[in-house]
Amino acid sequence: MSSEEALSSTITDWLFINSWWLLLPFIMLLVVAAFIVAFVLLLYMISPLISPKPLKLNGAHVVVTGGSSGIGKCIAIECYRQGAFITLVARDEAKLLQAKKEVEKFAINDKQVVLCISVDVSSDYSQVESVIKQAQEKLGPVDMLVNCAGTSISGKFEEVEVDRFKKLMEVNYLGSVYPTRAVITTMKERRMGRIMFVSSQAGQIGLFGYTAYSPSKFALRGLAESLQMEIKPYNIYVTVAYPPDTDTPGLAEENKTKPLETKLISETSGVCQPDQVAKIIVRDAVQGNFNSSVGPDGYMLSALTCGMSPVTSITEGLQQIVTMGLFRTIALFYLGSFDSIVRRCMIQREQSKAADKRE
Ligand SMILES: NC(=O)c1ccc[n+]([C@@H]2O[C@H](COP(=O)([O-])OP(=O)(O)OC[C@H]3O[C@@H](n4cnc5c(N)ncnc54)[C@H](OP(=O)(O)O)[C@@H]3O)[C@@H](O)[C@H]2O)c1
């Protein structure tokens, strides 16, 4: 070997021995990535251990307020077809009896019972307490309470009659507080139960036309978060459902007075079927999930508005952490398009007013 070759070989050896330091950052990056992947996998694996045990609906007593129509009736059917005993609560007795007949068609055994109770859930707590007592005497302690009784109106803030603001808070908010208050002590004694509040996507975002409705649905979220912290040690889980527009008699009634802006904004997402919504809500309540949303829009809204709300699985928490920024970006585009709908409607109205004056 010539002296030149020897020198070159020495340099190559030196480089080989010393250049692995250059790879050190990559090796460290790989190790960190491997740790993160292993950590996330571990979280996914232990997630079911931390999540609540699913409630068995077979043989359970489920009380559904607003169970005579729309989403509430479909929730009652979904629970009944899984073997539950049902108490339907609403005001109109004829509608209740009709709903009872419809629910009974889905029996899976001949022991199942559907009980009907006519009461206004929003007016007098002692009345609500007494009918819940009656229901518990007949069908046993309540395992799951579904607070679905509710009503909606839409209209421009200054055009909504002042007493409607009070009425909506009474029906949508107090109408959920009273039945919940009436079942909670027994649930705590039994150290088990599920409480469901049927809010709305309008309980996650304030939209044009919902100045009376939205606050009554936002209020349920505050109630649910505070209550969940109190009753979690008693193995009682709260679910807040945020349905999108759903094809029910309630929606048909609301559509009669919807301002054009509200209609156009609502049209950006479709209308769901109540049985489809009910299936998702019941599944989430059975699993003890705090949030229950429908469809991709609902998923995005729930992740965006999770704030300090409880998580019922690590998977859910991880998804929220990862998706928050992206969803906020998408939401800004939605907000921009809603603002532009409102502006266009205003300009059109002003132009047609001006044209009317000229004529
Ligand atoms: N449909 C939608 O697009 C939609 C979307 C998001 C959220 N939601 C919410 O989902 C729930 C059900 O809506 P829906 O569209 O299915 O309504 P719906 O078809 O009008 O049914 C409402 C039910 O609530 C009962 N109810 C109303 N006020 C009551 C009161 N003071 N006391 C006892 N029962 C009362 C009604 O029976 P009586 O009138 O006989 O009492 C009926 O059984 C509501 O809370 C609503 O805000 C609906």
Side-chain angles (χ1 to χ4, degrees):
M1 193 189 289
S2 71
S3 64
E4 266 179 26
E5 279 170 344
L7 182 65
S8 129
S9 150
T10 316
I11 291 172
T12 317
D13 286 352
W14 186 87
L15 277 177
F16 182 75
I17 292 163
N18 291 289
S19 65
W20 71 272
W21 287 102
L22 297 173
L23 293 174
L24 196 60
F26 296 105
I27 295 169
M28 281 172 71
L29 215 67
L30 269 177
V31 172
V32 170
F35 265 112
I36 292 174
V37 170
F39 182 64
V40 170
L41 278 176
L42 185 76
L43 289 181
Y44 268 84
M45 274 155 60
I46 60 170
S47 189
L49 302 176
I50 293 165
S51 305
K53 282 203 179 74
L55 178 83
K56 278 195 193 94
L57 278 180
N58 200 332
H61 178 191
V62 179
V63 172
V64 187
T65 74
S68 68
S69 171
I71 299 174
K73 186 169 73 184
C74 290
I75 289 175
I77 290 175
E78 186 55 32
C79 294
Y80 202 64
R81 72 193 325 164
Q82 293 186 41
F85 289 62
I86 306 287
T87 299
L88 298 174
V89 179
R91 291 163 303 177
D92 186 321
E93 285 184 24
K95 265 181 13 189
L96 274 168
L97 289 175
Q98 178 57 36
K100 174 180 156 79
K101 280 187 200 151
E102 287 178 49
V103 176
E104 279 171 344
K105 286 183 199 152
F106 295 87
I108 59 164
N109 65 60
D110 52 13
K111 289 192 196 102
Q112 279 177 276
V113 175
V114 180
L115 186 69
C116 290
I117 290 181
S118 164
V119 73
D120 181 339
V121 286
S122 67
S123 67
D124 177 5
Y125 174 66
S126 57
Q127 253 183 31
V128 176
E129 192 185 27
S130 124
V131 295
I132 292 286
K133 211 169 155 208
Q134 278 170 36
Q136 306 216 67
E137 276 161 12
K138 289 192 177 134
L139 299 184
V142 177
D143 296 291
M144 180 155 110
L145 168 69
V146 180
N147 289 295
C148 192
T151 185
S152 65
I153 51 157
S154 53
K156 280 191 215 158
F157 181 63
E158 67 277 17
E159 287 169 11
V160 176
E161 284 170 38
V162 170
D163 65 345
R164 303 305 292 167
F165 289 88
K166 189 169 169 224
K167 187 77 199 155
L168 285 193
M169 284 307 283
E170 281 172 353
V171 178
N172 294 345
Y173 175 64
L174 290 180
S176 293
V177 172
Y178 293 168
T180 305
R181 185 77 203 283
V183 300
I184 207 71
T185 308
T186 317
M187 281 191 179
K188 280 174 91 168
E189 279 164 10
R190 297 175 67 221
R191 293 190 180 247
M192 64 161 296
R194 294 284 191 273
I195 307 279
M196 187 203 295
F197 297 107
V198 180
S199 176
S200 164
Q201 284 190 349
Q204 295 176 303
I205 37 169
L207 292 174
F208 190 107
Y210 286 130
T211 50
Y213 180 63
S214 269
S216 69
K217 293 296 186 179
F218 267 77
L220 291 175
R221 164 76 175 267
L223 167 67
E225 283 192 15
S226 306
L227 184 64
Q228 180 62 94
M229 202 178 277
E230 285 187 24
I231 60 182
K232 196 172 163 188
Y234 295 86
N235 188 34
I236 305 167
Y237 287 89
V238 175
T239 298
V240 191
Y242 302 100
D245 272 357
T246 307
D247 185 12
T248 64
L251 181 68
E253 195 54 38
E254 187 204 312
N255 280 341
K256 290 179 188 164
T257 58
K258 239 182 203 172
L260 178 64
E261 289 88 338
T262 316
K263 266 189 200 142
L264 294 173
I265 290 170
S266 303
E267 279 168 10
T268 56
S269 60
V271 175
C272 289
Q273 289 310 306
D275 54 340
Q276 176 199 0
V277 170
K279 270 198 176 74
I280 294 168
I281 292 180
V282 171
R283 183 204 61 201
D284 285 327
V286 163
Q287 287 175 357
N289 295 339
F290 186 76
N291 277 307
S292 176
S293 54
V294 179
D297 285 354
Y299 177 76
M300 185 177 87
L301 271 176
S302 287
L304 255 179
T305 59
C306 60
M308 285 288 281
S309 68
V311 274
T312 16
S313 77
I314 294 169
T315 327
E316 186 193 7
L318 284 174
Q319 284 168 1
Q320 288 164 347
I321 293 166
V322 173
T323 55
M324 186 76 88
L326 172 70
F327 286 166
R328 179 62 180 155
T329 314
I330 299 172
L332 292 177
F333 284 102
Y334 269 99
L335 282 175
S337 81
F338 295 163
D339 282 342
S340 110
I341 288 174
V342 173
R343 224 177 8 257
R344 266 188 286 127
C345 287
M346 190 187 88
I347 292 168
Q348 271 171 20
R349 249 185 229 119
E350 283 177 351
Q351 282 173 346
S352 66
K353 254 189 208 163
D356 285 350
K357 265 188 194 161
R358 279 198 299 273
E359 280 167 14

